Amino acid sequence: MAELGSVFSSEATLGLDFDDPLKGFEVSKEILINATPQETRIALVQDKRVSEFFFERNADKGIIGNIYKGKVVRVLPGMQAAFVDIGHERAAFLYAGDFYKSKHNVEDLDDEEEEGFEHQEHRRRRRGYEEVPPIAELVREGQELLVQVAKGPIGTKGARLTCHISLPGRNLVFMPTLKHNGVSRKIESYDQRRRLKKIIDNYRSREGGFIVRTAASSGSTEKLIKSDVDYLLNLWKKIGRKFQSTSAPQLLHYDLDLTTRVIRDFLDDEIERLIIDSPLEHRKVLRFIRNFNPELRDKVELYEDGIPLFDRFHIEQEINRALSKRVWLKSGGYLIIETTEALTSIDVNTGRFVGKKTLEETILKTNLEAAEEIVKQLRLRNIGGIIIIDFIDMEKDSSKEQVYRFLEGLLREDKSKTTILKISNLGLVEMTRKRSRESVVRYLTEQCPTCEGRGFVKSRVAVAHQVLRDIRRELPALQEEHLYVTVHPEVATLLKNFEEDTVVSLEKQYQIGIKITGDPSFHLEQISVTSAAPKGKLAQLPPLHLPKKKGAPVGGGKGASVLDDDENDEAEYRADLQAIQKAKDARLAAAQAAELAAAAKKSELEQSLAAEAQQQQVIGEAADGNDSEEADLDAPVIRSKEEAVQKETEWTSSDDDDSEVDDKESAPSPLEQQSANDEKKEEAEDSPPEVTTKTAQ
C-alpha cells in the first residue's frame, strides 16, 4: 500500500479517491519465505513494508482445512454445540448451525467461499436460532461425523469444526453440500461472470457444487477448469473411501502446508517475486508451481546471501514492532493498541503533531493517517474479533464521513471479512474482523511469569509495608527467640535502609530478634516469615541506588523517636518559613524594580516630548523669519526723489489698468443689461410730466 501519510495536506490537495484509496498508486508486492527445520515464516511485503505475517512451527502444524472422522464426546444443549474428538489434546467444538443443512447453506453464498479453508466461518449463517433444531436432535454422544476444521485452536479454545466440507483448487472450490454451481461475487465483470458460469455449468455433479474462484478470472481456460473439476472429484471420492474404512478419530485429508497454501492464495501476476532462503523449500515450491501454474515459475528466487533474508529486508524489526502497544505515525501522532479477551481497542492521539492551520484540519489529517495505519496493523498483527477504534473527535459531519469512507475503502483490500459501522457521536468506530488463526502476539508471546498476565506488579514500597504487617501479625504468638524474614533483595534493601528504626522498635517491644535477608530467587511480591532459619547460603544483596536516610522511615514507623520527629519537623518548618519569606522578598524586590523601571521610562518619555515640542517651536520661528525676509525682498528700493515720483506714476497707471480690468470683469451680461433698461423705462413712465419735461429740456 502506498505511503499516503506523507502527502496529507487537505481534502482538496490530497488527490485521493476515498472510495478507492489505492487508485492511482502502483503497489509493488513481494513474498519472502524464511524456512528452517524448526518453523516457517512468511512475510507479504507491499512497497517495501510488511503487510502480513504467517507463522507455522513444524512441531505444531496448522490444522485449518484438515478433514477428520471425529466422534461426538459431549453434547451441550445450552450452548447449541457439541464437543468432538478429532485426535488432538483438546476436543474441537461443533455448533448446530455448522451441522444442520438448510436453504441458507446452499443459497446464501458468501463472498469468502472461494478463499479456502481459512475463510470458512461463513458456514455459520446469520440467522435466528429458531431456524436450527436443538443440537440434541442432530447429534448424539458416540456418533461419528465427517468434519473439517474451519478455525484453528486459539488460546484455551479448541478448534472449530464444520460439516460443510469445501475442497479448494486453483480455480474452483468443491462443496459437497452445495447442489448448484456458481461464480465468486468478487468477480465483478459481467462478461467474465457469464463466460465462467457457462463453462462451469458444463460440469454439474451429483456429488456437490463448484464455485469459481477469483483466480479463474485471469484468463483461465475451460481445460484448466476441467482439470480442477477432475482433481477435486477424485480427492472427494478418496476421502469418502477413507471415511468408510477407518474408525474415529482419524485424519482423512491433510491440507496444504503453510508455504503452498500461501502460494495458492496469494501468488498471482501482481506479485513481482517470491524469495526463499531454503534450497529444500525452494525445490518443493517449484514442484508445486509446476502443477499449480507454470507461468509463475519465473517469479521464484533462491536467496543465497550470507545475511539472513529477514535481516536483509528488515523483517525482524517489523516483527518486534508488531508486539509493541504504541505505533507511531509519520506526522508525529500515534496509536495505542490494547488487546483483551473480549475485544481490541485502538486509541488515536495527535502526539507531537500540531498542524499548520486549524484544529479541525489537524484532527482530520491525524485521523486519516491513523485509518491507513490501523488497517495495516490489523493485517500485520492478524487482529480479529470485535475492534473499537477511538478516533479524535471531529466537529464537522463531513470530516467524519471522509474518515469513514477512507477506512471502508482500505478494508476492501483485506482478505479477511470485515464489518464496519459509521463513526458515532463519540468518535468511535465499531467493527469486526474475522479471526481464522492466532494473532502475532499470541503466537510469539506467553503470559508473563512475573505479573501473571496483569501487566504490573506491586511496588517495592507496598511490598515492604506488607512485610511489616506480616511481622506484626507473627510476633505476638511467637515462642522462639528469632523471626526470619526472606524477601526479594530489593525489598530487603528498602527495609534495611528506610525501616530500620521500625524493625528495632518491634524487636525491643517483643524482645525477639528479626533477621531480614534477600533471596534473588524470590519473586518481587514473594514474602517468607518463619521462626526457622532459612536453609542454604543466600546471595548478597545488590546495592540499591537510594540514599540511606536513617530516622526517616518510608511509612513513618513507630521506631522513630518523638523528640527526633519534633526536632525534624521544627527544622523543616523553619526552612519552609525562610523559603516563604525569601520568595516574598524576591517578589517585593521585583515589584520595586518594576516601579523604578516604569518611573524611569515615564521620565524619559516626558523629556522626549519636551524636546520634541522645543524643536517644533524652533522650526516655527525659523519659518516666520523666512516670510519676513521674502516681504522685504519684494519691496522696491528708492534712492532719489525723481525715482520716487517715477515709481508712484508706475503704481498709479498699474492701479488704473487693474480698475479697467475690474470694470470689464464686473460688466453685466446682455440679459442683465436688458433687464436694467426695462426697469429704467418703467420708472420714466411712472414719473410726473414736469420732471420729464425738465429732464428733456
Side-chain angles (χ1 to χ4, degrees), residues 325 338 447-458 525:
K325 290 183 179 181
E338 295 274 3
Q447 181 173 287
C448 174
T450 301
C451 69
E452 297 180 349
R454 292 178 298 175
F456 54 85
V457 295
K458 286 184 179 180
E525 299 179 2

Side-chain angles (χ1 to χ4, degrees), residues 539-575:
Q540 292 184 349
L541 298 179
L544 190 65
H545 300 289
L546 293 172
K548 187 172 182 180
K549 189 176 180 181
K550 294 184 179 180
V554 176
K558 294 182 180 179
S561 171
V562 177
L563 181 61
D564 292 341
D565 288 344
D566 292 340
E567 291 178 355
N568 292 336
D569 183 69
E570 182 67 22
E572 292 176 358
Y573 177 69
R574 289 178 181 176

Side-chain angles (χ1 to χ4, degrees), residues 40 56-63 88 254 257-258 284:
T40 300
E56 185 177 76
R57 295 188 178 96
N58 295 335
D60 186 20
K61 291 281 188 179
I63 63 174
H88 288 260
Y254 180 75
D257 61 8
L258 177 63
K284 183 179 72 174

Side-chain angles (χ1 to χ4, degrees), residues 456-625:
F456 54 85
V457 295
K458 286 184 179 180
S459 66
R460 292 169 298 174
V461 174
V463 176
H465 291 174
Q466 181 63 45
V467 171
L468 295 177
R469 287 192 291 270
D470 292 347
I471 292 174
R472 291 189 180 98
R473 186 183 302 112
E474 295 291 334
L475 285 177
L478 189 65
Q479 301 297 327
E480 285 76 6
E481 296 181 355
H482 292 89
L483 183 68
Y484 298 93
V485 180
T486 306
V487 292
H488 188 274
E490 293 187 6
V491 177
T493 303
L494 192 67
L495 288 169
K496 291 185 175 182
N497 285 349
F498 293 96
E499 295 293 348
E500 183 177 359
D501 292 339
T502 303
V503 174
V504 171
S505 174
L506 291 173
E507 288 178 331
K508 292 180 179 180
Q509 181 180 354
Y510 294 96
Q511 295 299 306
I512 295 175
I514 301 175
K515 294 186 177 181
I516 300 175
T517 55
D519 188 347
S521 65
F522 268 43
H523 185 277
L524 184 63
E525 299 179 2
Q526 187 176 353
I527 303 171
S528 173
V529 180
T530 178
S531 59
K535 297 180 180 180
K537 186 178 180 180
L538 299 178
Q540 292 184 349
L541 298 179
L544 190 65
H545 300 289
L546 293 172
K548 187 172 182 180
K549 189 176 180 181
K550 294 184 179 180
V554 176
K558 294 182 180 179
S561 171
V562 177
L563 181 61
D564 292 341
D565 288 344
D566 292 340
E567 291 178 355
N568 292 336
D569 183 69
E570 182 67 22
E572 292 176 358
Y573 177 69
R574 289 178 181 176
D576 291 340
L577 291 178
Q578 292 176 0
I580 293 172
Q581 187 61 40
K582 186 176 181 181
K584 286 183 178 180
D585 294 341
R587 287 195 297 268
L588 181 60
Q592 292 176 351
E595 288 183 6
L596 292 175
K601 188 174 182 181
K602 182 179 179 181
S603 176
E604 182 180 354
L605 180 61
E606 290 176 352
Q607 293 176 2
S608 176
L609 292 175
E612 185 178 353
Q614 185 177 3
Q615 185 178 5
Q616 292 293 337
Q617 183 178 0
V618 172
I619 293 174
E621 292 176 354
D624 294 342

Side-chain angles (χ1 to χ4, degrees), residues 256-310:
L256 301 175
D257 61 8
L258 177 63
T259 302
T260 51
R261 193 162 64 244
V262 168
I263 292 174
R264 180 194 67 195
D265 295 337
F266 291 94
L267 185 61
D268 52 25
D269 294 334
E270 295 183 357
I271 301 296
E272 293 185 0
R273 56 180 180 169
L274 186 151
I275 306 176
I276 309 171
D277 63 358
S278 168
L280 183 62
E281 199 76 7
H282 180 260
R283 181 174 301 183
K284 183 179 72 174
V285 167
L286 288 178
R287 186 188 315 117
F288 176 77
I289 290 180
R290 280 197 297 269
N291 299 323
F292 172 67
N293 191 347
E295 297 178 357
L296 302 175
R297 182 182 55 189
D298 296 339
K299 297 179 179 293
V300 182
E301 299 180 10
L302 176 62
Y303 182 81
E304 298 179 314
D305 200 326
I307 302 176
L309 176 64
F310 274 28

Side-chain angles (χ1 to χ4, degrees), residues 344-477:
T344 298
S345 65
I346 303 176
D347 184 35
V348 182
N349 298 275
T350 54
R352 297 189 294 262
F353 182 53
V354 296
K356 294 182 179 179
K357 296 182 180 178
T358 63
L359 176 62
E360 183 72 14
E361 184 188 29
T362 301
I363 293 174
L364 177 60
K365 289 180 181 179
T366 305
N367 285 339
L368 287 173
E369 188 180 8
E372 182 189 7
E373 186 63 32
I374 285 170
V375 175
K376 291 179 180 178
Q377 293 297 323
L378 293 180
R379 294 184 60 191
L380 183 66
R381 302 172 184 235
N382 192 32
I383 297 174
I386 300 174
I387 302 166
I388 304 297
I389 304 173
D390 183 11
F391 284 109
I392 305 172
D393 292 340
M394 294 169 283
E395 296 292 337
K396 297 181 180 179
D397 292 337
S398 59
S399 299
K400 294 180 181 179
E401 182 65 21
Q402 185 173 333
V403 173
Y404 170 77
R405 288 192 291 110
F406 186 60
L407 178 63
E408 187 181 36
L410 292 169
L411 288 173
R412 292 197 194 105
E413 301 297 320
D414 192 355
K415 287 185 176 292
S416 295
K417 184 178 180 180
T418 57
T419 303
I420 179 174
L421 302 180
K422 285 185 175 291
I423 300 178
S424 68
N425 294 332
L426 299 177
L428 300 179
V429 171
E430 303 171 42
M431 63 171 292
T432 60
R433 185 173 185 268
K434 206 186 92 173
R435 178 163 39 199
S436 58
R437 64 183 188 276
E438 284 190 321
S439 66
V440 173
V441 174
R442 283 187 177 272
Y443 181 85
L444 296 178
T445 63
E446 61 184 14
Q447 181 173 287
C448 174
T450 301
C451 69
E452 297 180 349
R454 292 178 298 175
F456 54 85
V457 295
K458 286 184 179 180
S459 66
R460 292 169 298 174
V461 174
V463 176
H465 291 174
Q466 181 63 45
V467 171
L468 295 177
R469 287 192 291 270
D470 292 347
I471 292 174
R472 291 189 180 98
R473 186 183 302 112
E474 295 291 334
L475 285 177

